[in-house]
Amino acid sequence: MRLPSLKFLKTFQVAAARLSFKSAAEDLFITPSAVSHQIKALEEQLGVPLFERGPHSLTLTEAGRQYLQHLDMMFTRLETVTDQLRIRYSRGVVRLHMPPFFATELLLPKLPALLEAQPDTDIHINTALAPLQTHPTDADVSIVVNATPEGGLDCHKLFSQAFVPACAPMLLMRSPINTVADLNQHTLIVHEARRDVWERWADSIGVRLRPKKVVRFDTMHAAAQAAEHGVGVALVSSRLGNERFSQGSLVRLFDAELQTGESYYLLLRREDASRPDVQALTQWLLNEFRVAA
């Protein structure tokens, strides 16, 4: 049997990780139709269904799950060998994974300083669309949000995850918010991944909210931008929102914070920790983003 196309295998790996042809298409810069055709061609060549396709869902078959495990190891090994080749004969490469909102709010403003600090290292930054809670196999260093990171890794806590209510100054000019009860006269902005966050915040201070309207966004970045444009009031990360607070695009409304029990952690495999380029990136990230306990 002729081996499947490497392109088809990579398409399957990405689609299986995302469980969405649309998300895979965005990652691979092709159309969802192209993803579907490549997966179908791979299944026909293997003679085995890899996905169970529902009207609004996509799940892996048992064969698909087994195949994905082997492909993850194969691609990780291939990337490692390729990177080691570049390290030995060319420039170093470090692969950094982190949540999108962390990247835009904390890393991006400091990115020129990072590149200047590591002039001989290429840094590949991946911002995961899904919530990043474990260290990816294709990452050298990752930043994740979790209550209890997995064992077997070097783990460094950066800061605790907490949320505070915030809105744009223009919103307060139209309709002041002086008490928690005033929130009921406004639209509350919700991040889709944390639908219950407003209820949890209200419970933490012993009140109930009955907002005029609720608007949901699929990313925290979109939720924060909506708040900046005066759409309503959002619960934003007190640490990740600091830049917006200092610039005045968002105003923190109350002192009460919702402590989620989660924290941002920096993770890396112990065998990678001895690499000089990984060491340098890890130390830079800790110096810039770790909050003293």
Side-chain angles (χ1 to χ4, degrees):
M1 174 182 173
R2 187 167 57 88
L3 287 176
S5 160
L6 188 63
K7 179 174 70 173
F8 289 2
L9 294 177
K10 187 62 181 177
T11 298
F12 165 70
Q13 185 199 29
V14 175
R18 297 284 188 247
L19 288 179
S20 166
F21 288 173
K22 180 180 178 183
S23 295
E26 292 173 354
D27 285 358
L28 297 168
F29 299 100
I30 58 178
T31 66
S33 177
V35 171
S36 179
H37 286 310
Q38 290 180 24
I39 297 296
K40 185 176 180 181
L42 177 61
E43 290 176 322
E44 289 176 351
Q45 187 171 0
L46 295 173
V48 174
L50 300 173
F51 288 101
E52 294 178 357
R53 298 162 174 83
H56 303 290
S57 65
L58 187 69
T59 58
L60 285 167
T61 63
E62 180 60 30
R65 284 191 290 271
Q66 291 289 330
Y67 204 36
L68 177 62
Q69 290 179 4
H70 291 291
L71 286 178
D72 279 342
M73 290 187 290
M74 182 192 76
F75 277 111
T76 298
R77 180 59 182 161
L78 179 61
E79 290 169 359
T80 299
V81 170
T82 301
D83 288 347
Q84 287 174 347
L85 187 70
R86 293 191 66 183
I87 290 168
R88 183 173 179 179
Y89 296 104
S90 183
R91 298 171 57 82
V93 177
V94 179
R95 301 163 299 176
L96 173 61
H97 286 229
M98 62 179 56
F101 199 58
F102 189 104
T104 57
E105 302 303 304
L106 294 187
L107 180 66
L108 192 57
K110 297 178 179 290
L111 193 54
L114 170 59
L115 300 180
E116 185 176 346
Q118 296 195 268
D120 298 323
T121 301
D122 289 344
I123 301 173
H124 295 180
I125 300 171
N126 186 308
T127 55
L129 294 176
L132 195 60
Q133 296 180 314
T134 60
H135 184 63
T137 58
D138 59 344
D140 298 310
V141 180
S142 66
I143 294 174
V144 307
V145 185
N146 208 327
T148 53
E150 61 186 289
L153 297 168
D154 276 1
C155 175
H156 305 274
K157 181 178 176 180
L158 299 179
F159 52 86
S160 298
Q161 174 77 298
F163 288 96
V164 294
C167 70
M170 70 177 79
L171 185 67
L172 296 178
M173 293 176 62
R174 295 198 308 262
S175 180
I177 301 174
N178 298 313
T179 67
V180 173
D182 292 336
L183 292 174
N184 292 325
Q185 307 305 314
H186 289 270
T187 297
L188 297 188
I189 299 171
V190 176
H191 178 203
E192 187 70 30
R194 295 181 178 273
R195 291 188 179 188
D196 65 342
V197 70
W198 272 110
E199 287 79 4
R200 292 173 61 193
W201 179 81
D203 287 343
S204 72
I205 59 174
V207 300
R208 293 192 64 185
L209 294 176
R210 296 181 178 83
K212 181 175 67 174
K213 188 176 294 186
V214 171
V215 177
R216 290 179 182 161
F217 290 91
D218 61 350
T219 68
M220 193 64 236
H221 181 70
Q225 282 196 316
E228 284 184 322
H229 284 86
V231 172
V233 183
L235 276 170
V236 300
S237 167
S238 57
R239 174 72 174 87
L240 272 63
N242 271 343
E243 186 70 17
R244 297 174 192 256
F245 297 150
S246 63
Q247 292 177 350
S249 62
L250 285 179
V251 177
R252 180 172 174 155
L253 294 175
F254 305 104
D255 292 331
E257 294 186 350
L258 172 64
Q259 298 292 337
T260 66
E262 302 167 330
S263 295
Y264 279 86
Y265 292 94
L266 185 151
L267 304 178
L268 64 155
R269 286 178 291 274
R270 287 169 184 161
E271 60 266 30
D272 293 328
S274 60
R275 286 172 45 190
D277 51 0
V278 171
Q279 282 183 343
L281 176 61
T282 298
Q283 193 57 56
W284 187 90
L285 292 168
L286 292 176
N287 291 343
E288 292 294 332
F289 303 127
R290 180 164 56 181
V291 175

